[in-house]
Every structure is written in structure tokens, then in C-alpha cells.
Amino acid sequence: CTLILFITLISCFENNLPKPKAYLNLEYSSPQYHEVLNSCGFKYQINKEAILENHEEECWDNIKYPKMKATIYLSYFKVDNNINSLIDDAYQMPMKHVNRAIEIPEKIYFDQKNKIFGSLFRVEGNTASQLQFFLTDSIRNFLVGSLYFYSKPNYDSLMPAARYIEDDMLHLMETLKWE
């Protein structure tokens, strides 16, 4: 009887501590890229693990990442004395998320050799779109891109996948060529 009482007392003093916060150990393969030619007059490179859906009649491309349940939506527009309104619209897109965003840093892109400029916006926080960009030659061509995940926005969980796709977006921006 004493032994049972002793074991019961010892078991009552066990410390139950909450599990420490941890991050998912997500590993992504090193990207390999291939060139894509759009029928609307531009080409760029995408990750070989992504699937391209081309909507030729509207000049839209969707770059799908099935393993990450994400898509980059690309929209192409011809510049026709409307460059200012196209740029204003591109800057308004990330601002639609400002009420849920922690921060929206802008990375300015300028390719002097190919005369292409634009910006990449990282929308940090529990927002619908984590990355958005635009590129233009300011004379004829304008391209807009947005990343969306097929899940409820949870910045901490989506961040590793968003950073991986951000590298792909930067690669797309760096390899874009107008025909």
C-alpha cells in the first residue's frame, strides 16, 4: 500500500510543459528553368516544376505550383498612351492588402540593357497575395504578376513557399524579353 501511495505522489509532480514553437522543415529542390514563349510577344523562364497554362486570346498566363498549391497570375497589356494609368493600377494592387499587411517592401527592378523596369512588392502578413510585380518598357509592353495560394492566408506557414516562389519570380523578371 505504501508503494502505491509513493508512486501516485511521484506521478503527480510531473511537469507538463507546452511544446516549444517550431517551424516546418520544408525542403524544396533547386530550381531548374526552361524558356516559355508567349503568343503576345514576350518570353521568359519558369521553374520546370511549375505548370504553365497559357490563355493566348487574353494574353494571360498562369504559372501553377501544384505541390505548393499556388499560382502566379500574369496579365499582359499593350501600352497605348496609358502608361501612367497602368503603373498607377500596378501600385494600387498591393495597396488593396494594406489593412492586413504588416509591411509592403518594394524592390525596384531596372534592366538597362533590355530597357525594362518595374517593381516587385512583397506583401508581408496574412494577406491574399504575398507577391506582386510589374514590368514595362514604357513604350509598348506592360506585364503584371500576382502570387496566390489556395489556402487561408497564414503568413508564418506560407512564408517558406512564398520565398521559394519569390526567387522564381525574380528569375522570371530577369529573363523577360519583349519580342
Side-chain angles (χ1 to χ4, degrees):
C1 185
T2 308
L3 181 63
I4 294 175
L5 181 63
F6 180 72
I7 292 173
T8 306
L9 286 174
I10 291 175
S11 67
C12 290
F13 294 108
E14 182 180 324
N15 284 335
N16 289 328
L17 298 174
K19 291 183 180 181
K21 288 187 177 182
Y23 295 99
L24 294 172
N25 184 14
L26 301 173
E27 293 185 22
Y28 301 109
S29 60
S30 294
Q32 296 179 5
Y33 298 99
H34 67 97
E35 191 167 81
V36 173
L37 179 61
N38 182 288
S39 62
C40 294
F42 60 95
K43 60 185 174 181
Y44 55 92
Q45 292 182 4
I46 65 170
N47 192 323
K48 285 187 177 182
E49 292 192 19
I51 299 169
L52 180 72
E53 285 183 352
N54 185 278
H55 302 273
E56 293 179 10
E57 61 278 354
E58 293 99 7
C59 291
W60 295 350
D61 286 347
N62 296 339
I63 304 168
K64 294 185 172 268
Y65 291 81
K67 291 180 183 175
M68 295 180 210
K69 297 181 180 171
T71 299
I72 299 172
Y73 296 93
L74 298 177
S75 300
Y76 172 80
F77 303 96
K78 284 275 188 199
V79 174
D80 186 23
N81 291 326
N82 60 346
I83 188 66
N84 290 335
S85 67
L86 289 170
I87 291 174
D88 287 344
D89 289 346
Y91 271 94
Q92 289 303 314
M93 282 188 352
M95 294 307 135
K96 291 178 182 177
H97 305 284
V98 75
N99 62 338
R100 300 195 52 105
I102 298 167
E103 181 179 18
I104 306 176
E106 175 185 7
K107 183 183 277 188
I108 295 173
Y109 177 79
F110 185 68
D111 179 353
Q112 190 169 2
K113 178 184 173 194
N114 295 305
K115 295 182 174 74
I116 298 173
F117 74 91
S119 288
L120 173 73
F121 303 95
R122 181 189 295 161
V123 186
E124 297 177 355
N126 293 332
T127 62
S129 176
Q130 282 69 36
L131 295 165
Q132 299 181 359
F133 75 89
F134 75 90
L135 293 171
T136 185
D137 61 4
S138 74
I139 299 168
R140 288 185 221 108
N141 305 294
F142 197 89
L143 183 68
V144 178
S146 299
L147 170 66
Y148 288 90
F149 287 92
Y150 317 136
S151 64
K152 181 179 177 185
N154 184 341
Y155 182 66
D156 291 339
S157 297
L158 295 176
M159 188 172 41
R163 293 298 165 262
Y164 180 84
I165 296 173
E166 180 179 357
D167 290 341
D168 285 355
M169 273 185 148
L170 287 169
H171 188 83
L172 182 154
M173 293 170 74
E174 292 167 353
T175 59
L176 179 75
K177 303 281 186 283
W178 311 113
E179 292 291 311

mmCIF file of all heavy atoms in Angstrom, residues 74-112:
data_model
loop_
_atom_site.group_PDB
_atom_site.id
_atom_site.type_symbol
_atom_site.label_atom_id
_atom_site.label_comp_id
_atom_site.label_asym_id
_atom_site.label_seq_id
_atom_site.Cartn_x
_atom_site.Cartn_y
_atom_site.Cartn_z
ATOM 1 N N LEU A 74 -0.261 35.983 -64.511
ATOM 2 C CA LEU A 74 0.380 37.007 -65.324
ATOM 3 C C LEU A 74 -0.643 37.612 -66.281
ATOM 4 O O LEU A 74 -1.408 36.882 -66.918
ATOM 5 C CB LEU A 74 1.525 36.409 -66.157
ATOM 6 C CG LEU A 74 2.690 35.789 -65.407
ATOM 7 C CD1 LEU A 74 3.688 35.189 -66.392
ATOM 8 C CD2 LEU A 74 3.370 36.820 -64.525
ATOM 9 N N SER A 75 -0.627 38.937 -66.385
ATOM 10 C CA SER A 75 -1.507 39.651 -67.322
ATOM 11 C C SER A 75 -0.655 40.609 -68.138
ATOM 12 O O SER A 75 0.102 41.402 -67.579
ATOM 13 C CB SER A 75 -2.570 40.443 -66.565
ATOM 14 O OG SER A 75 -3.365 39.584 -65.790
ATOM 15 N N TYR A 76 -0.820 40.541 -69.446
ATOM 16 C CA TYR A 76 -0.069 41.393 -70.365
ATOM 17 C C TYR A 76 -1.003 42.449 -70.959
ATOM 18 O O TYR A 76 -2.141 42.154 -71.315
ATOM 19 C CB TYR A 76 0.538 40.539 -71.486
ATOM 20 C CG TYR A 76 1.169 41.360 -72.576
ATOM 21 C CD1 TYR A 76 2.438 41.894 -72.416
ATOM 22 C CD2 TYR A 76 0.485 41.612 -73.759
ATOM 23 C CE1 TYR A 76 3.017 42.670 -73.413
ATOM 24 C CE2 TYR A 76 1.054 42.371 -74.756
ATOM 25 C CZ TYR A 76 2.316 42.904 -74.578
ATOM 26 O OH TYR A 76 2.892 43.667 -75.555
ATOM 27 N N PHE A 77 -0.482 43.673 -71.068
ATOM 28 C CA PHE A 77 -1.235 44.772 -71.660
ATOM 29 C C PHE A 77 -0.352 45.514 -72.651
ATOM 30 O O PHE A 77 0.832 45.726 -72.389
ATOM 31 C CB PHE A 77 -1.696 45.768 -70.579
ATOM 32 C CG PHE A 77 -2.516 45.146 -69.497
ATOM 33 C CD1 PHE A 77 -1.917 44.745 -68.309
ATOM 34 C CD2 PHE A 77 -3.875 44.949 -69.658
ATOM 35 C CE1 PHE A 77 -2.665 44.167 -67.308
ATOM 36 C CE2 PHE A 77 -4.633 44.368 -68.655
ATOM 37 C CZ PHE A 77 -4.023 43.975 -67.475
ATOM 38 N N LYS A 78 -0.945 45.932 -73.756
ATOM 39 C CA LYS A 78 -0.252 46.813 -74.696
ATOM 40 C C LYS A 78 -0.319 48.236 -74.141
ATOM 41 O O LYS A 78 -1.363 48.663 -73.650
ATOM 42 C CB LYS A 78 -0.918 46.788 -76.077
ATOM 43 C CG LYS A 78 -0.616 45.551 -76.874
ATOM 44 C CD LYS A 78 0.681 45.753 -77.597
ATOM 45 C CE LYS A 78 0.918 44.609 -78.558
ATOM 46 N NZ LYS A 78 2.308 44.526 -78.939
ATOM 47 N N VAL A 79 0.788 48.939 -74.219
ATOM 48 C CA VAL A 79 0.816 50.338 -73.809
ATOM 49 C C VAL A 79 0.314 51.171 -74.982
ATOM 50 O O VAL A 79 0.832 51.050 -76.094
ATOM 51 C CB VAL A 79 2.235 50.770 -73.390
ATOM 52 C CG1 VAL A 79 2.281 52.265 -73.106
ATOM 53 C CG2 VAL A 79 2.707 49.970 -72.180
ATOM 54 N N ASP A 80 -0.701 51.989 -74.726
ATOM 55 C CA ASP A 80 -1.281 52.836 -75.772
ATOM 56 C C ASP A 80 -1.619 54.192 -75.151
ATOM 57 O O ASP A 80 -2.779 54.462 -74.831
ATOM 58 C CB ASP A 80 -2.532 52.170 -76.354
ATOM 59 C CG ASP A 80 -3.094 52.922 -77.539
ATOM 60 O OD1 ASP A 80 -2.338 53.678 -78.193
ATOM 61 O OD2 ASP A 80 -4.300 52.768 -77.807
ATOM 62 N N ASN A 81 -0.588 55.003 -74.940
ATOM 63 C CA ASN A 81 -0.738 56.304 -74.279
ATOM 64 C C ASN A 81 -1.403 56.190 -72.902
ATOM 65 O O ASN A 81 -2.116 57.093 -72.475
ATOM 66 C CB ASN A 81 -1.525 57.294 -75.144
ATOM 67 C CG ASN A 81 -0.744 57.701 -76.363
ATOM 68 O OD1 ASN A 81 0.482 57.804 -76.324
ATOM 69 N ND2 ASN A 81 -1.438 57.922 -77.464
ATOM 70 N N ASN A 82 -1.204 55.039 -72.231
ATOM 71 C CA ASN A 82 -1.819 54.827 -70.925
ATOM 72 C C ASN A 82 -0.818 54.311 -69.886
ATOM 73 O O ASN A 82 -1.210 53.683 -68.909
ATOM 74 C CB ASN A 82 -2.991 53.861 -71.050
ATOM 75 C CG ASN A 82 -2.568 52.492 -71.578
ATOM 76 O OD1 ASN A 82 -1.464 52.321 -72.103
ATOM 77 N ND2 ASN A 82 -3.451 51.520 -71.440
ATOM 78 N N ILE A 83 0.454 54.575 -70.085
ATOM 79 C CA ILE A 83 1.473 54.035 -69.186
ATOM 80 C C ILE A 83 1.269 54.505 -67.743
ATOM 81 O O ILE A 83 1.435 53.731 -66.806
ATOM 82 C CB ILE A 83 2.910 54.341 -69.688
ATOM 83 C CG1 ILE A 83 3.954 53.595 -68.847
ATOM 84 C CG2 ILE A 83 3.192 55.831 -69.688
ATOM 85 C CD1 ILE A 83 3.915 52.116 -68.974
ATOM 86 N N ASN A 84 0.879 55.762 -67.568
ATOM 87 C CA ASN A 84 0.680 56.275 -66.215
ATOM 88 C C ASN A 84 -0.446 55.545 -65.484
ATOM 89 O O ASN A 84 -0.311 55.202 -64.309
ATOM 90 C CB ASN A 84 0.417 57.787 -66.227
ATOM 91 C CG ASN A 84 1.657 58.565 -66.605
ATOM 92 O OD1 ASN A 84 2.782 58.103 -66.415
ATOM 93 N ND2 ASN A 84 1.456 59.752 -67.156
ATOM 94 N N SER A 85 -1.545 55.290 -66.172
ATOM 95 C CA SER A 85 -2.653 54.581 -65.515
ATOM 96 C C SER A 85 -2.294 53.118 -65.255
ATOM 97 O O SER A 85 -2.698 52.563 -64.226
ATOM 98 C CB SER A 85 -3.943 54.699 -66.326
ATOM 99 O OG SER A 85 -3.832 54.012 -67.545
ATOM 100 N N LEU A 86 -1.525 52.486 -66.152
ATOM 101 C CA LEU A 86 -1.092 51.108 -65.916
ATOM 102 C C LEU A 86 -0.182 51.030 -64.690
ATOM 103 O O LEU A 86 -0.334 50.134 -63.848
ATOM 104 C CB LEU A 86 -0.375 50.553 -67.147
ATOM 105 C CG LEU A 86 -1.254 50.262 -68.363
ATOM 106 C CD1 LEU A 86 -0.398 49.965 -69.583
ATOM 107 C CD2 LEU A 86 -2.202 49.111 -68.075
ATOM 108 N N ILE A 87 0.751 51.972 -64.570
ATOM 109 C CA ILE A 87 1.650 51.984 -63.405
ATOM 110 C C ILE A 87 0.863 52.290 -62.136
ATOM 111 O O ILE A 87 1.075 51.645 -61.095
ATOM 112 C CB ILE A 87 2.809 52.980 -63.624
ATOM 113 C CG1 ILE A 87 3.739 52.445 -64.719
ATOM 114 C CG2 ILE A 87 3.582 53.210 -62.324
ATOM 115 C CD1 ILE A 87 4.840 53.392 -65.135
ATOM 116 N N ASP A 88 -0.068 53.238 -62.198
ATOM 117 C CA ASP A 88 -0.908 53.541 -61.026
ATOM 118 C C ASP A 88 -1.684 52.307 -60.585
ATOM 119 O O ASP A 88 -1.762 52.003 -59.388
ATOM 120 C CB ASP A 88 -1.886 54.679 -61.333
ATOM 121 C CG ASP A 88 -1.207 56.033 -61.413
ATOM 122 O OD1 ASP A 88 -0.047 56.161 -60.943
ATOM 123 O OD2 ASP A 88 -1.837 56.964 -61.952
ATOM 124 N N ASP A 89 -2.270 51.578 -61.545
ATOM 125 C CA ASP A 89 -3.007 50.353 -61.213
ATOM 126 C C ASP A 89 -2.083 49.314 -60.581
ATOM 127 O O ASP A 89 -2.476 48.623 -59.635
ATOM 128 C CB ASP A 89 -3.673 49.763 -62.459
ATOM 129 C CG ASP A 89 -4.843 50.586 -62.956
ATOM 130 O OD1 ASP A 89 -5.317 51.469 -62.206
ATOM 131 O OD2 ASP A 89 -5.277 50.350 -64.111
ATOM 132 N N ALA A 90 -0.863 49.189 -61.108
ATOM 133 C CA ALA A 90 0.094 48.218 -60.565
ATOM 134 C C ALA A 90 0.478 48.566 -59.129
ATOM 135 O O ALA A 90 0.664 47.668 -58.301
ATOM 136 C CB ALA A 90 1.337 48.149 -61.449
ATOM 137 N N TYR A 91 0.593 49.845 -58.819
ATOM 138 C CA TYR A 91 0.899 50.260 -57.447
ATOM 139 C C TYR A 91 -0.314 50.119 -56.529
ATOM 140 O O TYR A 91 -0.161 49.939 -55.317
ATOM 141 C CB TYR A 91 1.419 51.704 -57.414
ATOM 142 C CG TYR A 91 2.915 51.776 -57.576
ATOM 143 C CD1 TYR A 91 3.484 51.978 -58.826
ATOM 144 C CD2 TYR A 91 3.760 51.631 -56.483
ATOM 145 C CE1 TYR A 91 4.860 52.042 -58.987
ATOM 146 C CE2 TYR A 91 5.134 51.682 -56.634
ATOM 147 C CZ TYR A 91 5.676 51.886 -57.880
ATOM 148 O OH TYR A 91 7.047 51.924 -58.028
ATOM 149 N N GLN A 92 -1.520 50.189 -57.072
ATOM 150 C CA GLN A 92 -2.727 50.033 -56.257
ATOM 151 C C GLN A 92 -2.973 48.568 -55.855
ATOM 152 O O GLN A 92 -3.581 48.323 -54.825
ATOM 153 C CB GLN A 92 -3.954 50.574 -57.006
ATOM 154 C CG GLN A 92 -3.981 52.080 -57.130
ATOM 155 C CD GLN A 92 -3.927 52.783 -55.792
ATOM 156 O OE1 GLN A 92 -4.636 52.413 -54.866
ATOM 157 N NE2 GLN A 92 -3.074 53.783 -55.681
ATOM 158 N N MET A 93 -2.506 47.622 -56.678
ATOM 159 C CA MET A 93 -2.740 46.203 -56.370
ATOM 160 C C MET A 93 -2.229 45.807 -54.992
ATOM 161 O O MET A 93 -2.983 45.255 -54.195
ATOM 162 C CB MET A 93 -2.135 45.300 -57.451
ATOM 163 C CG MET A 93 -2.971 45.226 -58.686
ATOM 164 S SD MET A 93 -2.455 44.025 -59.939
ATOM 165 C CE MET A 93 -0.900 43.403 -59.424
ATOM 166 N N PRO A 94 -0.965 46.059 -54.640
ATOM 167 C CA PRO A 94 -0.533 45.672 -53.289
ATOM 168 C C PRO A 94 -1.205 46.494 -52.190
ATOM 169 O O PRO A 94 -1.377 46.017 -51.078
ATOM 170 C CB PRO A 94 0.977 45.902 -53.305
ATOM 171 C CG PRO A 94 1.277 46.695 -54.508
ATOM 172 C CD PRO A 94 0.136 46.550 -55.447
ATOM 173 N N MET A 95 -1.636 47.701 -52.515
ATOM 174 C CA MET A 95 -2.273 48.547 -51.506
ATOM 175 C C MET A 95 -3.658 48.029 -51.109
ATOM 176 O O MET A 95 -4.180 48.396 -50.065
ATOM 177 C CB MET A 95 -2.381 49.991 -52.001
ATOM 178 C CG MET A 95 -1.047 50.679 -52.182
ATOM 179 S SD MET A 95 -0.052 50.573 -50.683
ATOM 180 C CE MET A 95 1.515 50.115 -51.363
ATOM 181 N N LYS A 96 -4.249 47.164 -51.927
ATOM 182 C CA LYS A 96 -5.524 46.555 -51.572
ATOM 183 C C LYS A 96 -5.388 45.662 -50.339
ATOM 184 O O LYS A 96 -6.366 45.346 -49.681
ATOM 185 C CB LYS A 96 -6.066 45.732 -52.743
ATOM 186 C CG LYS A 96 -6.502 46.574 -53.918
ATOM 187 C CD LYS A 96 -6.986 45.710 -55.059
ATOM 188 C CE LYS A 96 -7.370 46.578 -56.245
ATOM 189 N NZ LYS A 96 -7.782 45.775 -57.397
ATOM 190 N N HIS A 97 -4.152 45.259 -50.028
ATOM 191 C CA HIS A 97 -3.902 44.361 -48.897
ATOM 192 C C HIS A 97 -3.359 45.106 -47.676
ATOM 193 O O HIS A 97 -2.982 44.487 -46.703
ATOM 194 C CB HIS A 97 -2.900 43.278 -49.312
ATOM 195 C CG HIS A 97 -3.318 42.525 -50.526
ATOM 196 N ND1 HIS A 97 -4.293 41.550 -50.508
ATOM 197 C CD2 HIS A 97 -2.925 42.624 -51.821
ATOM 198 C CE1 HIS A 97 -4.461 41.069 -51.729
ATOM 199 N NE2 HIS A 97 -3.650 41.700 -52.547
ATOM 200 N N VAL A 98 -3.317 46.419 -47.736
ATOM 201 C CA VAL A 98 -2.642 47.198 -46.695
ATOM 202 C C VAL A 98 -3.295 47.023 -45.315
ATOM 203 O O VAL A 98 -2.599 47.063 -44.300
ATOM 204 C CB VAL A 98 -2.540 48.694 -47.097
ATOM 205 C CG1 VAL A 98 -3.868 49.413 -46.954
ATOM 206 C CG2 VAL A 98 -1.459 49.385 -46.321
ATOM 207 N N ASN A 99 -4.606 46.779 -45.253
ATOM 208 C CA ASN A 99 -5.258 46.634 -43.953
ATOM 209 C C ASN A 99 -4.879 45.329 -43.244
ATOM 210 O O ASN A 99 -5.024 45.224 -42.034
ATOM 211 C CB ASN A 99 -6.782 46.753 -44.083
ATOM 212 C CG ASN A 99 -7.379 45.671 -44.956
ATOM 213 O OD1 ASN A 99 -6.699 45.087 -45.782
ATOM 214 N ND2 ASN A 99 -8.662 45.431 -44.786
ATOM 215 N N ARG A 100 -4.378 44.328 -43.973
ATOM 216 C CA ARG A 100 -3.967 43.064 -43.361
ATOM 217 C C ARG A 100 -2.455 42.865 -43.411
ATOM 218 O O ARG A 100 -1.940 41.922 -42.831
ATOM 219 C CB ARG A 100 -4.676 41.908 -44.048
ATOM 220 C CG ARG A 100 -6.198 42.032 -43.919
ATOM 221 C CD ARG A 100 -6.912 40.776 -44.260
ATOM 222 N NE ARG A 100 -6.419 39.631 -43.553
ATOM 223 C CZ ARG A 100 -7.038 39.038 -42.537
ATOM 224 N NH1 ARG A 100 -8.162 39.538 -42.092
ATOM 225 N NH2 ARG A 100 -6.542 37.969 -41.983
ATOM 226 N N ALA A 101 -1.762 43.742 -44.103
ATOM 227 C CA ALA A 101 -0.315 43.590 -44.274
ATOM 228 C C ALA A 101 0.436 44.181 -43.088
ATOM 229 O O ALA A 101 0.023 45.186 -42.510
ATOM 230 C CB ALA A 101 0.136 44.274 -45.556
ATOM 231 N N ILE A 102 1.542 43.545 -42.750
ATOM 232 C CA ILE A 102 2.442 44.065 -41.740
ATOM 233 C C ILE A 102 3.329 45.130 -42.389
ATOM 234 O O ILE A 102 3.586 46.174 -41.820
ATOM 235 C CB ILE A 102 3.320 42.930 -41.156
ATOM 236 C CG1 ILE A 102 2.451 41.892 -40.478
ATOM 237 C CG2 ILE A 102 4.372 43.480 -40.221
ATOM 238 C CD1 ILE A 102 3.180 40.599 -40.151
ATOM 239 N N GLU A 103 3.758 44.817 -43.608
ATOM 240 C CA GLU A 103 4.670 45.686 -44.333
ATOM 241 C C GLU A 103 4.583 45.331 -45.820
ATOM 242 O O GLU A 103 4.292 44.189 -46.172
ATOM 243 C CB GLU A 103 6.091 45.450 -43.807
ATOM 244 C CG GLU A 103 7.158 46.278 -44.417
ATOM 245 C CD GLU A 103 8.533 45.999 -43.809
ATOM 246 O OE1 GLU A 103 8.730 44.959 -43.167
ATOM 247 O OE2 GLU A 103 9.402 46.847 -44.016
ATOM 248 N N ILE A 104 4.853 46.296 -46.690
ATOM 249 C CA ILE A 104 4.875 46.044 -48.137
ATOM 250 C C ILE A 104 6.156 46.646 -48.710
ATOM 251 O O ILE A 104 6.141 47.722 -49.303
ATOM 252 C CB ILE A 104 3.630 46.620 -48.841
ATOM 253 C CG1 ILE A 104 2.343 46.119 -48.189
ATOM 254 C CG2 ILE A 104 3.640 46.255 -50.334
ATOM 255 C CD1 ILE A 104 1.074 46.704 -48.761
ATOM 256 N N PRO A 105 7.286 45.947 -48.541
ATOM 257 C CA PRO A 105 8.521 46.477 -49.122
ATOM 258 C C PRO A 105 8.517 46.333 -50.648
ATOM 259 O O PRO A 105 7.998 45.358 -51.195
ATOM 260 C CB PRO A 105 9.624 45.638 -48.489
ATOM 261 C CG PRO A 105 8.953 44.414 -47.993
ATOM 262 C CD PRO A 105 7.516 44.743 -47.760
ATOM 263 N N GLU A 106 9.114 47.309 -51.302
ATOM 264 C CA GLU A 106 9.192 47.327 -52.762
ATOM 265 C C GLU A 106 10.640 47.119 -53.186
ATOM 266 O O GLU A 106 11.553 47.736 -52.648
ATOM 267 C CB GLU A 106 8.697 48.674 -53.291
ATOM 268 C CG GLU A 106 8.838 48.845 -54.787
ATOM 269 C CD GLU A 106 8.439 50.233 -55.260
ATOM 270 O OE1 GLU A 106 8.184 51.116 -54.418
ATOM 271 O OE2 GLU A 106 8.404 50.431 -56.485
ATOM 272 N N LYS A 107 10.843 46.229 -54.136
ATOM 273 C CA LYS A 107 12.162 46.024 -54.735
ATOM 274 C C LYS A 107 12.077 46.533 -56.166
ATOM 275 O O LYS A 107 11.337 45.991 -56.991
ATOM 276 C CB LYS A 107 12.539 44.545 -54.704
ATOM 277 C CG LYS A 107 13.928 44.261 -55.244
ATOM 278 C CD LYS A 107 14.226 42.769 -55.266
ATOM 279 C CE LYS A 107 14.683 42.334 -53.894
ATOM 280 N NZ LYS A 107 15.158 40.947 -53.877
ATOM 281 N N ILE A 108 12.825 47.587 -56.452
ATOM 282 C CA ILE A 108 12.796 48.193 -57.785
ATOM 283 C C ILE A 108 13.704 47.400 -58.716
ATOM 284 O O ILE A 108 14.813 47.022 -58.343
ATOM 285 C CB ILE A 108 13.218 49.673 -57.712
ATOM 286 C CG1 ILE A 108 12.182 50.438 -56.891
ATOM 287 C CG2 ILE A 108 13.363 50.269 -59.102
ATOM 288 C CD1 ILE A 108 12.550 51.859 -56.603
ATOM 289 N N TYR A 109 13.202 47.161 -59.911
ATOM 290 C CA TYR A 109 13.945 46.389 -60.912
ATOM 291 C C TYR A 109 14.217 47.289 -62.117
ATOM 292 O O TYR A 109 13.323 47.991 -62.598
ATOM 293 C CB TYR A 109 13.127 45.169 -61.348
ATOM 294 C CG TYR A 109 13.797 44.363 -62.420
ATOM 295 C CD1 TYR A 109 14.825 43.488 -62.107
ATOM 296 C CD2 TYR A 109 13.429 44.497 -63.749
ATOM 297 C CE1 TYR A 109 15.467 42.757 -63.093
ATOM 298 C CE2 TYR A 109 14.061 43.770 -64.747
ATOM 299 C CZ TYR A 109 15.080 42.909 -64.408
ATOM 300 O OH TYR A 109 15.711 42.199 -65.387
ATOM 301 N N PHE A 110 15.469 47.259 -62.598
ATOM 302 C CA PHE A 110 15.828 48.047 -63.781
ATOM 303 C C PHE A 110 16.865 47.282 -64.585
ATOM 304 O O PHE A 110 17.946 46.992 -64.097
ATOM 305 C CB PHE A 110 16.366 49.416 -63.375
ATOM 306 C CG PHE A 110 16.642 50.312 -64.535
ATOM 307 C CD1 PHE A 110 15.616 50.805 -65.317
ATOM 308 C CD2 PHE A 110 17.940 50.652 -64.870
ATOM 309 C CE1 PHE A 110 15.869 51.631 -66.408
ATOM 310 C CE2 PHE A 110 18.203 51.473 -65.957
ATOM 311 C CZ PHE A 110 17.168 51.963 -66.717
ATOM 312 N N ASP A 111 16.522 46.935 -65.813
ATOM 313 C CA ASP A 111 17.421 46.261 -66.743
ATOM 314 C C ASP A 111 17.724 47.252 -67.863
ATOM 315 O O ASP A 111 16.947 47.394 -68.808
ATOM 316 C CB ASP A 111 16.758 44.997 -67.289
ATOM 317 C CG ASP A 111 17.620 44.249 -68.287
ATOM 318 O OD1 ASP A 111 18.689 44.750 -68.679
ATOM 319 O OD2 ASP A 111 17.210 43.142 -68.690
ATOM 320 N N GLN A 112 18.853 47.935 -67.716
ATOM 321 C CA GLN A 112 19.201 48.996 -68.669
ATOM 322 C C GLN A 112 19.457 48.443 -70.066
ATOM 323 O O GLN A 112 19.060 49.039 -71.058
ATOM 324 C CB GLN A 112 20.424 49.757 -68.165
ATOM 325 C CG GLN A 112 20.704 51.010 -68.957
ATOM 326 C CD GLN A 112 21.751 51.871 -68.276
ATOM 327 O OE1 GLN A 112 22.286 51.517 -67.243
ATOM 328 N NE2 GLN A 112 22.043 53.005 -68.867
#
